[in-house]
Amino acid sequence: FPSHDRLGVDALVTDTDEQVDMTVDLLSMLTPDKKTKIYGVNGSGYHGGEGQATCIDRRIIEKMGGEYKGNIFEFDIKNERIQVSHGGTGSLVNPSTYLLREISLSKMDAQKRKTKGPTILLRGHQHRFFLVQDDAGIYGALNGCWQYLTPFMAKKSANVTPSFGATIIEVNDVTKIYRSEYLLTEEVRQEMNGYERLAEKRNNLLS
């Protein structure tokens, strides 16, 4: 996609149809119950493409039987209003600064629009888990990812291993937010460090 300067060359496969199928296979393991409601939002510009017709995110969501929600999705469960958006880049050393800023901006925006603001803000992009709560009890959470040691993460820092997994939000009498993280072995970590070699190995197996 023109919106990403690497054009997918660092990916294991560059065919977008195959990327969609692989992602659907992965995420379907998290939703084995066919009655599960699935909603999704856009990721970064690399995933989004140049329009909704070619949006990989949208294709994945709809192929899973889900509903595509654009850039921002807000929904209510009991007393909680959850806001989901891909988000932007914050401090690797202190991600709470970014999340608290998002919470503060959400309060000002809700006041301006004269509506209830979110009580839980879920963001991504940084490929790591983090949870913070402000003085008013509003949560800000960074989600993990399903992408391991890519050049994107290495450029951010060689010393931040991506959090591989998902964030779980349970809303009952008490709201609980926790992570479901898959800790990959050091062998896998080293293997994922070289996408070009991994792609060559895969092509050799297919040939």
Side-chain angles (χ1 to χ4, degrees), residues 170-184:
E170 291 185 359
V171 181
N172 295 300
D173 295 334
V174 177
T175 297
K176 298 179 181 179
I177 304 174
Y178 56 94
R179 65 194 190 189
S180 177
E181 184 169 6
Y182 299 85
L183 299 175
L184 303 186

Side-chain angles (χ1 to χ4, degrees), residues 23-197:
T23 305
V24 169
D25 287 343
L26 171 68
L27 296 180
S28 294
M29 292 189 293
L30 301 177
T31 57
D33 185 352
K34 300 302 181 182
K35 296 180 180 180
T36 301
K37 292 183 179 179
I38 299 173
Y39 304 96
V41 298
N42 284 330
S44 66
Y46 172 78
H47 305 290
E50 290 299 315
Q52 293 182 352
T54 60
C55 175
I56 289 183
D57 297 316
R58 181 172 186 169
R59 287 163 59 191
I60 291 168
I61 295 159
E62 293 182 347
K63 192 163 187 176
M64 293 181 67
E67 186 176 341
Y68 171 73
K69 290 295 185 178
N71 295 311
I72 304 170
F73 178 38
E74 287 190 356
F75 59 101
D76 296 328
I77 300 180
K78 295 187 176 180
N79 294 324
E80 303 285 7
R81 174 162 293 182
I82 303 173
Q83 183 190 79
V84 182
S85 181
H86 185 67
T89 302
S91 169
L92 287 174
V93 176
N94 190 11
S96 62
T97 302
Y98 165 67
L99 289 172
L100 289 172
R101 185 194 71 186
E102 284 290 278
I103 292 173
S104 178
L105 289 171
S106 74
K107 290 178 179 178
M108 290 188 289
D109 188 60
Q111 185 178 25
K112 179 181 178 180
R113 294 189 293 122
K114 298 181 179 179
T115 186
K116 177 183 177 180
T119 57
I120 301 173
L121 291 82
L122 181 61
R123 299 291 186 265
H125 191 66
Q126 294 196 44
H127 293 203
R128 62 191 303 208
F129 290 115
F130 200 83
L131 181 65
V132 69
Q133 188 177 28
D134 77 347
D135 295 338
I138 298 176
Y139 286 100
L142 283 179
N143 197 17
C145 63
W146 297 103
Q147 185 182 72
Y148 212 49
L149 284 172
T150 62
F152 168 77
M153 284 304 295
K155 183 171 64 175
K156 291 168 76 70
S157 174
N159 295 294
V160 176
T161 298
S163 300
F164 201 72
T167 298
I168 310 296
I169 302 175
E170 291 185 359
V171 181
N172 295 300
D173 295 334
V174 177
T175 297
K176 298 179 181 179
I177 304 174
Y178 56 94
R179 65 194 190 189
S180 177
E181 184 169 6
Y182 299 85
L183 299 175
L184 303 186
T185 66
E186 185 64 21
E187 181 182 2
V188 172
R189 184 183 188 279
Q190 294 299 327
E191 183 79 1
M192 294 298 290
N193 188 40
Y195 269 64
E196 293 84 358
R197 294 192 300 274

